[in-house]
Amino acid sequence: MATPTRITPSEAAAAPLIGGRLSSRWFEGDGIEIRHYAPKGEDTQTPHDRDEFYFVISGSGTYIRGGERVRFGPGDKLFAAAGEEHRFVEFSGDFATWVLFYGPQKT
């Protein structure tokens, strides 16, 4: 997949979800993967095998990581370590985020 010079959140939101994934992929290489994630209604993701950062594009809600609950909004950066339970709850209908996975896969 060629990496576009620019991708807008609306273009990313219009991309099809492939292979049963909950997010669309926009870059992969050198130990980094960037995806666009915009759950509707409920966040059903499970822990991932790589560390990740979320960069909130739009919307607001609550992010749960382990036993911690934090409010979030546009421009916020959120973190989850590989294997760590995390999810978005009570989020607005316009919630969307970039997800950056990095580093080696952990088991």
Side-chain angles (χ1 to χ4, degrees):
M1 164 171 146
T3 302
T5 300
R6 176 179 181 257
I7 182 72
T8 66
S10 60
E11 290 168 327
L17 301 179
I18 298 171
R21 293 295 300 253
L22 301 174
S23 58
S24 58
R25 186 177 65 199
W26 291 95
F27 176 83
E28 184 171 26
D30 295 327
I32 296 173
E33 182 177 1
I34 298 174
R35 304 184 76 86
H36 178 269
Y37 183 51
K40 298 299 176 210
E42 181 181 7
D43 177 11
T44 60
Q45 68 176 309
T46 57
H48 302 100
D49 58 4
R50 297 171 77 192
D51 292 341
E52 61 189 298
F53 284 109
Y54 293 96
F55 298 90
V56 179
I57 299 166
S58 60
S60 61
T62 300
Y63 178 64
I64 299 173
R65 174 182 155 208
E68 185 178 14
R69 294 174 65 94
V70 296
R71 296 288 303 162
F72 68 84
D76 288 347
K77 188 235 9 117
L78 306 163
F79 175 76
E84 191 169 44
E85 289 281 343
H86 64 282
R87 70 183 9 78
F88 298 95
V89 297
E90 302 160 0
F91 52 87
S92 58
D94 62 341
F95 170 55
T97 185
W98 294 112
V99 187
L100 187 146
F101 295 96
Y102 68 95
Q105 293 182 335
K106 300 174 183 170
T107 55

